[in-house]
Amino acid sequence: MISQAETSAQRASVDTNRSTLHLVETVDAFQEQKLKDLRRIFSDFVTIEMVFHAKAVEVYSSAFQTLENYDLERDLQDFRAKTRGIYGHGEARPLTDTNPAPSVPWPLASQSAQSTMARQGKEAGGEEDSETDSVEEIPLEDLKGQQQGPRD
């Protein structure tokens, strides 16, 4: 009877060791998968945030260029000409070029779309066109020095 009990205890010990080893492997695999998932989730989050902020920089750059190219004198002359026409002071002249520049000029908006498409093409293994200028390629210090011609 004692030998049967010893044999039974030895089997139970082996089964316990096997179960413990299997449990440790399962917990290890779970931890590894959890860490991979967390890395993927945070990587996706950071990528989304970078794209968001890159787009914000494009919009702010466009607004900056619009403000830099703003012609105060021309707008003031147009305003004075319109008020003279409304109140009957002086002779009203037709205003041919009084449309204000949009806050996001269409050429820059299409350039933004082109740079986004080029980035997506690059990520998919394509080549970026040499014509598209992405905002990421322009150093922040150079933004103030850039000048665009007057807008029509």
Side-chain angles (χ1 to χ4, degrees), residues 82-141:
K82 286 177 184 176
T83 56
R84 275 187 238 126
I86 292 173
Y87 296 113
H89 301 298
E91 188 176 313
R93 62 179 172 92
L95 301 173
T96 58
D97 192 26
T98 59
N99 293 336
S103 61
V104 177
W106 291 114
L108 287 178
S110 65
Q111 182 181 22
S112 169
Q114 288 173 353
S115 69
T116 302
M117 288 175 21
R119 273 195 307 271
Q120 289 171 348
K122 232 180 180 180
E123 290 170 2
E127 292 295 321
E128 184 177 359
D129 291 341
S130 61
E131 295 176 7
T132 54
D133 291 336
S134 177
V135 172
E136 293 95 15
E137 296 172 0
I138 302 170
L140 187 58
E141 304 84 44

Coordinates of all heavy atoms in Angstrom, one line a residue, residues 82-141:
K82 N -16.0 101.2 -52.8 CA -17.3 100.6 -52.6 C -18.1 101.6 -51.8 O -19.3 101.9 -52.1 CB -17.3 99.3 -51.9 CG -16.8 98.2 -52.8 CD -16.7 96.9 -52.0 CE -16.2 95.8 -52.9 NZ -16.0 94.5 -52.1
T83 N -17.5 102.2 -50.8 CA -18.3 103.1 -49.9 C -18.6 104.4 -50.7 O -19.7 105.0 -50.6 CB -17.5 103.5 -48.6 OG1 -16.3 104.0 -49.0 CG2 -17.5 102.3 -47.7
R84 N -17.7 104.8 -51.6 CA -18.0 106.0 -52.4 C -19.1 105.7 -53.4 O -20.0 106.5 -53.6 CB -16.8 106.4 -53.3 CG -15.8 107.3 -52.5 CD -14.7 107.8 -53.4 NE -13.5 107.3 -52.7 CZ -12.5 106.7 -53.3 NH1 -12.6 106.3 -54.6 NH2 -11.4 106.3 -52.6
G85 N -19.2 104.5 -53.9 CA -20.3 104.1 -54.8 C -21.6 104.0 -54.0 O -22.6 104.4 -54.6
I86 N -21.6 103.5 -52.8 CA -22.8 103.4 -52.0 C -23.4 104.7 -51.6 O -24.6 105.0 -51.7 CB -22.6 102.4 -50.8 CG1 -22.3 101.0 -51.3 CG2 -23.8 102.5 -49.9 CD1 -21.9 100.1 -50.2
Y87 N -22.5 105.5 -51.1 CA -23.0 106.8 -50.5 C -23.0 108.0 -51.5 O -23.3 109.1 -51.2 CB -22.1 107.2 -49.3 CG -22.3 106.2 -48.2 CD1 -21.2 105.4 -47.8 CD2 -23.5 106.1 -47.5 CE1 -21.4 104.5 -46.8 CE2 -23.7 105.2 -46.5 CZ -22.6 104.4 -46.1 OH -22.8 103.5 -45.1
G88 N -22.6 107.7 -52.8 CA -22.7 108.7 -53.8 C -21.6 109.7 -53.8 O -21.6 110.7 -54.5
H89 N -20.5 109.4 -53.1 CA -19.4 110.3 -53.1 C -18.5 110.0 -54.2 O -17.9 108.9 -54.2 CB -18.6 110.2 -51.7 CG -19.4 110.6 -50.5 ND1 -20.0 111.8 -50.3 CD2 -19.8 109.8 -49.5 CE1 -20.7 111.8 -49.2 NE2 -20.6 110.6 -48.7
G90 N -18.3 110.9 -55.1 CA -17.3 110.6 -56.2 C -18.0 109.6 -57.2 O -19.1 109.3 -57.2
E91 N -17.2 109.2 -58.1 CA -17.6 108.3 -59.2 C -17.3 106.9 -58.8 O -16.2 106.6 -58.5 CB -16.9 108.7 -60.5 CG -17.5 108.0 -61.7 CD -16.8 108.5 -62.9 OE1 -16.7 109.7 -63.1 OE2 -16.3 107.7 -63.7
A92 N -18.3 106.1 -58.9 CA -18.1 104.6 -58.5 C -17.4 104.0 -59.7 O -17.9 104.1 -60.9 CB -19.4 104.0 -58.2
R93 N -16.3 103.3 -59.5 CA -15.7 102.6 -60.6 C -16.0 101.1 -60.4 O -16.1 100.6 -59.3 CB -14.2 102.8 -60.5 CG -13.5 102.3 -59.3 CD -12.0 102.6 -59.3 NE -11.4 102.3 -58.1 CZ -10.8 101.2 -57.7 NH1 -10.9 100.2 -58.6 NH2 -10.3 101.0 -56.6
P94 N -16.0 100.4 -61.5 CA -16.3 99.0 -61.4 C -15.0 98.3 -60.8 O -13.9 98.6 -61.2 CB -16.5 98.5 -62.9 CG -15.9 99.6 -63.7 CD -15.9 100.8 -62.9
L95 N -15.3 97.4 -59.9 CA -14.2 96.7 -59.3 C -14.1 95.3 -59.9 O -15.0 94.5 -59.9 CB -14.5 96.5 -57.8 CG -14.7 97.8 -57.0 CD1 -15.2 97.5 -55.6 CD2 -13.4 98.6 -57.0
T96 N -12.9 95.1 -60.6 CA -12.8 93.9 -61.3 C -12.1 92.8 -60.5 O -12.4 91.6 -60.7 CB -11.9 94.1 -62.6 OG1 -10.6 94.6 -62.1 CG2 -12.5 95.1 -63.5
D97 N -11.3 93.1 -59.5 CA -10.5 92.1 -58.8 C -10.7 92.3 -57.3 O -9.8 92.6 -56.6 CB -9.0 92.2 -59.2 CG -8.3 91.0 -58.7 OD1 -8.9 89.9 -58.5 OD2 -7.1 91.2 -58.4
T98 N -12.0 92.2 -56.9 CA -12.3 92.4 -55.4 C -12.6 91.2 -54.7 O -12.9 91.2 -53.5 CB -13.4 93.4 -55.3 OG1 -14.6 92.9 -55.9 CG2 -13.1 94.8 -55.8
N99 N -12.5 90.0 -55.3 CA -12.8 88.8 -54.6 C -11.7 88.5 -53.6 O -10.6 88.5 -53.9 CB -12.9 87.6 -55.6 CG -14.1 87.7 -56.5 OD1 -15.1 88.4 -56.2 ND2 -14.0 87.1 -57.6
P100 N -12.1 88.4 -52.3 CA -11.1 88.1 -51.3 C -10.5 86.7 -51.6 O -11.1 85.8 -52.0 CB -11.8 88.2 -50.0 CG -13.2 87.9 -50.3 CD -13.4 88.4 -51.7
A101 N -9.2 86.6 -51.2 CA -8.6 85.3 -51.3 C -9.2 84.3 -50.3 O -9.4 84.7 -49.2 CB -7.1 85.4 -51.1
P102 N -9.5 83.1 -50.7 CA -10.0 82.2 -49.7 C -9.0 81.9 -48.7 O -7.8 82.0 -48.8 CB -10.3 80.9 -50.6 CG -9.4 81.1 -51.8 CD -9.2 82.5 -52.0
S103 N -9.5 81.4 -47.5 CA -8.6 81.1 -46.4 C -7.7 80.0 -46.7 O -6.6 79.9 -46.2 CB -9.4 80.9 -45.1 OG -10.2 79.7 -45.3
V104 N -8.2 79.0 -47.5 CA -7.3 77.9 -48.0 C -7.4 78.0 -49.5 O -8.4 77.5 -50.1 CB -7.8 76.5 -47.5 CG1 -7.0 75.4 -48.0 CG2 -7.8 76.5 -46.0
P105 N -6.4 78.5 -50.1 CA -6.4 78.6 -51.6 C -6.5 77.3 -52.3 O -5.9 76.3 -51.8 CB -5.1 79.3 -51.9 CG -4.5 79.8 -50.6 CD -5.2 79.0 -49.6
W106 N -7.3 77.2 -53.3 CA -7.5 75.9 -54.0 C -6.2 75.2 -54.5 O -6.0 74.0 -54.3 CB -8.5 76.0 -55.1 CG -9.8 76.3 -54.6 CD1 -10.6 77.5 -54.8 CD2 -10.6 75.5 -53.8 NE1 -11.7 77.4 -54.1 CE2 -11.8 76.2 -53.5 CE3 -10.5 74.2 -53.3 CZ2 -12.8 75.6 -52.7 CZ3 -11.5 73.7 -52.5 CH2 -12.6 74.4 -52.2
P107 N -5.2 76.0 -55.0 CA -4.0 75.3 -55.4 C -3.3 74.7 -54.2 O -2.8 73.6 -54.4 CB -3.1 76.5 -56.0 CG -4.1 77.5 -56.4 CD -5.2 77.4 -55.4
L108 N -3.3 75.3 -53.0 CA -2.7 74.7 -51.9 C -3.5 73.5 -51.4 O -2.9 72.5 -50.9 CB -2.5 75.7 -50.8 CG -1.4 76.7 -51.0 CD1 -1.3 77.7 -49.8 CD2 0.0 76.1 -51.2
A109 N -4.8 73.6 -51.5 CA -5.6 72.5 -51.0 C -5.4 71.3 -51.9 O -5.3 70.1 -51.5 CB -7.1 72.9 -51.0
S110 N -5.3 71.5 -53.3 CA -5.0 70.4 -54.1 C -3.6 69.8 -53.9 O -3.3 68.7 -54.0 CB -5.2 70.7 -55.6 OG -4.3 71.7 -56.0
Q111 N -2.7 70.8 -53.6 CA -1.3 70.3 -53.3 C -1.3 69.5 -52.1 O -0.6 68.5 -52.0 CB -0.4 71.6 -53.1 CG 1.0 71.3 -52.8 CD 1.8 72.5 -52.6 OE1 1.3 73.6 -52.3 NE2 3.1 72.5 -52.8
S112 N -2.1 69.8 -51.1 CA -2.2 69.0 -49.9 C -2.8 67.6 -50.2 O -2.3 66.6 -49.7 CB -3.2 69.7 -48.9 OG -3.5 68.8 -47.8
A113 N -3.8 67.6 -51.1 CA -4.3 66.3 -51.5 C -3.3 65.5 -52.2 O -3.1 64.3 -52.0 CB -5.6 66.5 -52.3
Q114 N -2.5 66.2 -53.1 CA -1.5 65.5 -53.8 C -0.4 64.9 -52.9 O 0.1 63.8 -53.0 CB -0.8 66.4 -54.8 CG -1.7 66.7 -56.0 CD -1.0 67.8 -56.9 OE1 0.0 68.4 -56.6 NE2 -1.6 68.1 -58.0
S115 N 0.0 65.7 -51.9 CA 1.0 65.2 -51.0 C 0.5 64.1 -50.1 O 1.2 63.1 -49.8 CB 1.5 66.4 -50.1 OG 0.6 66.8 -49.2
T116 N -0.8 64.1 -49.8 CA -1.4 63.0 -49.0 C -1.4 61.7 -49.9 O -1.0 60.7 -49.4 CB -2.8 63.4 -48.6 OG1 -2.7 64.5 -47.8 CG2 -3.4 62.2 -47.8
M117 N -1.8 61.9 -51.1 CA -1.8 60.7 -52.0 C -0.4 60.2 -52.3 O -0.2 59.0 -52.3 CB -2.5 61.1 -53.4 CG -4.0 61.3 -53.2 SD -4.9 61.9 -54.6 CE -3.9 61.5 -56.0
A118 N 0.5 61.1 -52.4 CA 1.9 60.7 -52.6 C 2.4 59.9 -51.4 O 3.1 58.9 -51.5 CB 2.8 61.9 -52.9
R119 N 2.1 60.4 -50.2 CA 2.5 59.7 -49.0 C 1.9 58.3 -48.9 O 2.6 57.4 -48.6 CB 2.1 60.5 -47.7 CG 3.1 61.5 -47.3 CD 2.8 62.0 -45.8 NE 1.4 62.4 -45.6 CZ 1.0 63.6 -45.8 NH1 1.8 64.6 -46.2 NH2 -0.3 63.9 -45.6
Q120 N 0.6 58.2 -49.3 CA 0.0 56.9 -49.3 C 0.6 56.0 -50.3 O 0.8 54.8 -50.1 CB -1.5 57.1 -49.5 CG -2.3 57.7 -48.4 CD -3.7 58.1 -48.7 OE1 -4.1 58.0 -49.9 NE2 -4.5 58.4 -47.7
G121 N 0.9 56.6 -51.5 CA 1.6 55.8 -52.5 C 3.0 55.3 -52.0 O 3.4 54.2 -52.3
K122 N 3.7 56.2 -51.3 CA 5.0 55.8 -50.8 C 4.9 54.7 -49.8 O 5.7 53.8 -49.8 CB 5.6 57.1 -50.2 CG 7.0 57.4 -50.6 CD 7.5 58.6 -49.9 CE 8.9 58.9 -50.3 NZ 9.4 60.1 -49.7
E123 N 3.9 54.8 -48.9 CA 3.7 53.7 -47.9 C 3.3 52.4 -48.6 O 3.6 51.4 -48.1 CB 2.6 54.1 -46.9 CG 3.0 55.3 -46.0 CD 1.8 55.8 -45.2 OE1 0.7 55.3 -45.4 OE2 2.1 56.8 -44.5
A124 N 2.6 52.5 -49.7 CA 2.3 51.3 -50.5 C 3.4 50.8 -51.4 O 3.2 49.9 -52.1 CB 1.0 51.5 -51.3
G125 N 4.5 51.5 -51.4 CA 5.7 51.1 -52.2 C 5.8 51.8 -53.5 O 6.7 51.5 -54.3
G126 N 5.0 52.9 -53.7 CA 5.1 53.7 -54.9 C 6.1 54.7 -54.8 O 6.7 55.0 -53.8
E127 N 6.3 55.5 -55.9 CA 7.2 56.6 -55.9 C 6.5 57.9 -55.8 O 5.4 58.0 -56.3 CB 8.1 56.6 -57.2 CG 9.0 55.4 -57.2 CD 10.1 55.5 -56.2 OE1 10.6 56.6 -55.9 OE2 10.4 54.4 -55.6
E128 N 7.0 58.9 -55.2 CA 6.4 60.2 -55.1 C 6.8 61.0 -56.3 O 7.9 61.0 -56.7 CB 6.9 60.9 -53.8 CG 6.2 62.2 -53.5 CD 6.7 62.9 -52.2 OE1 7.4 62.3 -51.5 OE2 6.2 64.0 -52.0
D129 N 5.8 61.8 -56.8 CA 6.1 62.7 -57.9 C 7.0 63.8 -57.5 O 6.9 64.3 -56.4 CB 4.8 63.3 -58.5 CG 4.0 62.3 -59.2 OD1 4.5 61.2 -59.5 OD2 2.7 62.6 -59.4
S130 N 7.9 64.2 -58.4 CA 8.8 65.3 -58.0 C 8.1 66.7 -58.0 O 8.6 67.6 -57.4 CB 9.9 65.4 -59.0 OG 9.4 65.7 -60.3
E131 N 6.9 66.7 -58.6 CA 6.1 68.0 -58.6 C 5.5 68.3 -57.2 O 5.3 69.4 -56.8 CB 5.0 67.9 -59.6 CG 5.5 67.8 -61.0 CD 4.4 67.7 -62.0 OE1 3.2 67.8 -61.6 OE2 4.7 67.4 -63.2
T132 N 5.1 67.2 -56.5 CA 4.4 67.5 -55.2 C 5.4 67.9 -54.1 O 6.4 67.2 -53.9 CB 3.6 66.2 -54.8 OG1 4.6 65.1 -54.7 CG2 2.5 65.9 -55.7
D133 N 5.0 69.0 -53.5 CA 5.9 69.4 -52.4 C 5.1 69.2 -51.1 O 4.1 69.8 -50.8 CB 6.1 70.9 -52.5 CG 7.0 71.2 -53.7 OD1 7.8 70.4 -54.1 OD2 6.9 72.4 -54.2
S134 N 5.6 68.3 -50.3 CA 4.9 68.0 -49.0 C 5.4 69.0 -48.0 O 6.5 69.4 -48.0 CB 5.3 66.6 -48.6 OG 4.7 66.3 -47.4
V135 N 4.5 69.3 -47.1 CA 4.8 70.3 -46.0 C 5.9 69.7 -45.1 O 6.7 70.5 -44.6 CB 3.6 70.6 -45.2 CG1 3.9 71.5 -44.0 CG2 2.6 71.4 -46.1
E136 N 6.0 68.4 -45.0 CA 7.0 67.8 -44.1 C 8.4 68.1 -44.6 O 9.4 68.1 -43.9 CB 6.8 66.3 -44.0 CG 5.6 65.9 -43.3 CD 4.4 65.6 -44.2 OE1 4.7 65.4 -45.4 OE2 3.3 65.5 -43.7
E137 N 8.5 68.4 -45.9 CA 9.8 68.6 -46.5 C 10.3 70.1 -46.3 O 11.5 70.4 -46.6 CB 9.8 68.3 -48.0 CG 9.5 66.8 -48.3 CD 9.3 66.6 -49.8 OE1 9.4 67.5 -50.6 OE2 9.0 65.4 -50.1
I138 N 9.4 71.0 -45.9 CA 9.8 72.4 -45.7 C 10.1 72.6 -44.3 O 9.3 72.4 -43.4 CB 8.6 73.3 -46.1 CG1 8.1 73.0 -47.6 CG2 8.9 74.7 -45.9 CD1 6.8 73.7 -47.9
P139 N 11.3 73.0 -44.0 CA 11.7 73.3 -42.6 C 10.9 74.4 -42.1 O 10.5 75.4 -42.8 CB 13.2 73.7 -42.7 CG 13.7 73.2 -44.0 CD 12.5 73.1 -44.9
L140 N 10.5 74.3 -40.8 CA 9.6 75.3 -40.2 C 10.2 76.7 -40.2 O 9.5 77.7 -40.5 CB 9.4 74.9 -38.7 CG 8.4 75.7 -37.9 CD1 7.0 75.7 -38.7 CD2 8.2 75.2 -36.5
E141 N 11.5 76.8 -40.1 CA 12.2 78.2 -40.1 C 12.0 78.8 -41.5 O 12.0 80.0 -41.6 CB 13.7 78.1 -39.8 CG 14.0 77.4 -38.5 CD 14.1 75.9 -38.6 OE1 14.6 75.4 -39.6 OE2 13.5 75.2 -37.8

